Amino acid sequence: MGAAPEPTGAGSLQKDSKVAVAEGQAVRASRRQVTMKGLYFQQSSTNEEITFIFQERENLPVTEENYVKLQVKACALSHINTELLAEMKMEKDFFPVGREIAGTVLEVGSKVSFFQPDDEVVGILPLDSEDPGLCEAVRVHEHYLVHKPEKVTWTEAAGTIRDGVRAYTALHFLSHLSPGKSVLIMDGASAQGTIAIQLAQHRGAKVISTACSLEDKQYLERLRPSLARVIDVSTGKAHVAESCLEETGGLGVDIVLDAGVRLYSKDDEPAGKLPLLPHKHDILTLLGVGGHWVTTEENLQLDPPDSRCLFLKGATVAFLNDEIWNLSNVQQGKYLCILKDVMEKLSNGVFRPRVDEPIPLYEAKGSMEVVQKNQGRKKQVVQF
């Protein structure tokens, strides 16, 4: 009798399947062993200059129980507050760059309960993250992530998440925004200002904004729903306080969200202070009774007459530090609710971010240098 024929059918398929699985495991193992490039920054000895550099780093697996490993699809670029890092004693020789990320889950720790491999997620890396968001893969605690809605793009998700948290912090938690309130949002054509305007309008507020150029003015005038008033401060002719009082019938605005203020006369201001910023006395003048001034000026100085003015109006000043959710673990649940709501509003079209065309990773170094100097208008996002 002849030799038995080669096995076919189910046995052959099983053999092919085992080979495919073995090959897949080998590929994944090889991926885990390769190094990746990540973007870091280094400060000069005087802490005045920042240098951005790419460095090789290991593609490490997830070792912590509550951590998730992501394949980064997009990472937005934001200004780095080096003074805050120094105050928090978080200075390093090389500090990771890029924190607003969107990507796909690759691995999960043994105690991760909200995510599984292949989930699409978005979040903000904590200040003390060892991994840069500007890298192919990162590891992050699951409590800094939420699911990305299916119809939201990677670029939109990464480009909106931080500005959305900032707007919520300013308008909901610091100034108690409600329908019918009048809100002045300074520099509304910036990426941050745009999201703040859209959140305020969604809540039924009457929004006034300032424009720092003719292009910004035209952009703000095209927004729908329309703003109550756009104040063009680029010519130096418009007076912010007078315009706001005129728009509110002399009552003043209920909420002010500034983009910085001048503390002194223009001649006495330090170099680098934008001349188009309003003086602190302008804000005090246009603020209504019981109003809320939310400021980004971390070195704000109020003299006794300034405090007296606030006292007579029953008004308050709050400082907008959008890292506050990172610095306190007490309100982690509330923070996650904000992240989820930001993504929901982005998915529903409430948020329409002002995002520039995505850029490749190799251009991130030059783009971060521009962002760090506050020279960009649209949100810059690196797409992988």
Side-chain angles (χ1 to χ4, degrees), residues 4 15 19 30 46 52 73 85 101 108 114 128 148 170 185 217 237 286 306 309 328 335 348 357:
K15 180 180 178 181
V19 170
S30 65
T46 59
F52 294 98
K73 297 292 187 179
L85 294 175
I101 58 170
V108 297
F114 297 115
D128 59 356
K148 180 186 76 68
I185 296 175
K217 179 175 181 287
K237 297 178 181 179
L286 64 85
D306 302 331
C309 179
S328 171
Y335 177 59
N348 294 339
E357 290 296 319

Side-chain angles (χ1 to χ4, degrees), residues 181-193:
K181 296 285 187 180
S182 56
V183 182
L184 170 63
I185 296 175
M186 311 295 291
D187 194 15
S190 65
Q192 298 170 351

Side-chain angles (χ1 to χ4, degrees), residues 259-287:
V261 294
R262 288 186 293 110
L263 304 178
Y264 315 102
S265 65
K266 291 186 178 180
D267 295 334
D268 296 331
E269 283 290 348
K273 198 78 167 183
L274 295 175
L276 299 180
L277 293 176
H279 194 278
K280 63 178 179 179
H281 291 153
D282 294 331
I283 305 296
L284 293 171
T285 300
L286 64 85
L287 197 61

Side-chain angles (χ1 to χ4, degrees), residues 41 79-92 94-99 124-132 140 144 162 321-328 335:
F41 79 81
H79 182 272
I80 300 169
N81 189 338
T82 54
E83 292 183 5
L84 177 63
L85 294 175
E87 289 178 14
M88 298 297 297
K89 309 297 183 185
M90 300 176 99
E91 295 171 295
K92 304 176 184 177
F94 298 98
F95 205 92
V97 177
R99 294 173 53 206
I124 304 174
L125 297 179
L127 274 172
D128 59 356
S129 172
E130 296 181 1
D131 296 351
V140 57
Y144 291 102
R162 183 166 182 169
N321 176 9
D322 53 0
E323 298 293 353
I324 192 64
W325 305 105
N326 260 293
L327 303 177
S328 171
Y335 177 59

